[in-house]
Amino acid sequence: LHSFPTRRSSDLRMAISYNRLWKRLIDHDLSKTDMMHRANISTNVLARLGKGAPVSMESMEKICKVLNCNIGDVMEFVPDNENGGKDA
């Protein structure tokens, strides 16, 4: 068994990055609006993605189906060094 040092919850803040999604859209020659229509997600979901805010797993599943990929191909958690990101 491994023991890990305990950390304060403030040390564990993570932000969501959808940079992989935006790159994948470019690679597939799709606009954000094209993706929105093909995945049948709302403008609100698209806006939340643009802000790096959490969205539902259902929305992420729809996007992954359209892009024929897994969730790790379109999003990732990154350290929130500026404490301005969204909690994971």
Side-chain angles (χ1 to χ4, degrees), residues 46-85:
L46 188 60
R48 292 181 63 78
L49 290 167
K51 294 177 184 175
V55 299
S56 73
M57 288 300 294
E58 180 182 356
S59 295
M60 294 307 299
E61 179 183 7
K62 290 177 180 181
I63 291 167
C64 288
K65 282 182 180 178
V66 166
L67 299 175
N68 192 31
C69 65
N70 288 308
I71 195 163
D73 298 324
V74 293
M75 68 161 287
E76 66 180 327
F77 292 107
V78 294
D80 184 7
N81 297 328
E82 299 175 11
N83 291 330

Side-chain angles (χ1 to χ4, degrees), residues 2-20:
H2 298 282
S3 68
F4 298 96
T6 57
R7 294 185 177 191
R8 296 184 313 260
S9 62
S10 62
D11 292 340
L12 301 176
R13 289 181 63 96
M14 299 292 283
I16 299 170
S17 171
Y18 297 110
N19 289 340
R20 292 177 178 182

Side-chain angles (χ1 to χ4, degrees), residues 1 3 22 28 32 52 55 58 63 84 86:
L1 295 175
S3 68
W22 310 135
H28 283 78
K32 292 178 182 181
V55 299
E58 180 182 356
I63 291 167
K86 308 294 182 229

